[in-house]
Amino acid sequence: MTSRYILQTALLVYFSTTVLAMNYNLLRFQLSSSSVECQELLLQLNGTSKDCLKDRMNFKIPEEIQKSQKFQKEDIVLVTLEMFQKTSDIFRRNLSSMGWNESIVENLLATLHWQKEHLEEILEDIMQEENFTWDHRTLLHLKRYYLRIVRYLKAKEFSVCAWTIVQAEILKSFFFLDKLIDSLPN
């Protein structure tokens, strides 16, 4: 099943490298597909346990992301890139004690990596072609959100429950990411 996703991703890379930078309908579709793939992989990690409810924490995803403010297309690309980057950074951390299926984690990281590279190319094209200005507060709030997640994992010594809570939080962040992607203007 996961090899099917890898093939689809490879084909998307091959056919959409430069076209995607200009066609935001295609970009919306591609980002949504990657988001769904990441969510499916996260759900396969089987990280739910009622014993971990005591470890829950509100990581406070930035309000501007929760409310899907009317971002410009460039802002959405930048926020999405940051979310994929930080999610990747988190899942590259001390996973050895989790007992999660390594191939699922590797597929998640591969999907995130491919998407990050692709978004970096798109953002570079946008910055060259347009007068791009960015409100750095949103990005700063987003970085702080992911920093709270990392600090939580460290404070809980990367325990199974901590990873379960983080897995649920990352799934929640993908929900908000989906709303943000859906608001991508034409």
Side-chain angles (χ1 to χ4, degrees), residues 42-148:
L42 282 165
L43 287 170
Q44 290 176 28
L45 293 175
N46 298 326
T48 57
S49 173
K50 292 183 184 205
D51 297 337
C52 296
L53 293 178
K54 65 184 179 343
D55 289 338
R56 282 187 303 184
M57 181 179 164
N58 181 356
F59 296 101
K60 299 177 185 163
I61 194 161
E63 194 171 315
E64 56 266 41
I65 305 295
Q66 284 184 40
K67 292 183 178 179
S68 292
Q69 277 185 354
K70 290 294 180 187
F71 287 117
Q72 294 181 12
K73 59 191 173 197
E74 301 86 0
D75 301 328
I76 293 171
V77 170
L78 190 58
V79 167
T80 304
L81 175 62
E82 187 69 19
M83 291 178 81
F84 283 156
Q85 175 64 50
K86 295 301 183 190
T87 299
S88 178
D89 292 348
I90 287 170
F91 279 93
R92 290 192 186 285
R93 297 193 174 263
N94 188 2
L95 289 169
S96 58
S97 63
M98 282 307 303
W100 282 341
N101 183 325
E102 288 183 31
S103 66
I104 294 172
V105 175
E106 288 173 13
N107 287 337
L108 174 64
L109 291 172
T111 300
L112 290 167
H113 178 75
W114 176 82
Q115 190 59 58
K116 288 183 312 181
E117 285 186 346
H118 195 64
L119 287 171
E120 286 169 353
E121 290 175 15
I122 292 169
L123 193 58
E124 189 176 302
D125 290 344
I126 289 170
M127 293 174 110
Q128 288 176 358
E129 293 176 12
E130 300 174 18
N131 188 11
F132 179 55
T133 58
W134 168 250
D135 180 4
H136 294 286
R137 289 176 293 182
T138 301
L139 201 55
L140 180 61
H141 295 161
L142 197 56
K143 288 180 184 218
R144 287 180 181 159
Y145 165 72
Y146 285 102
L147 182 60
R148 286 188 290 274

Side-chain angles (χ1 to χ4, degrees), residues 151-163:
R151 286 180 178 163
Y152 171 81
L153 278 170
K154 288 179 181 177
K156 296 289 185 174
E157 298 176 346
F158 299 92
S159 70
V160 172
C161 279
W163 275 112

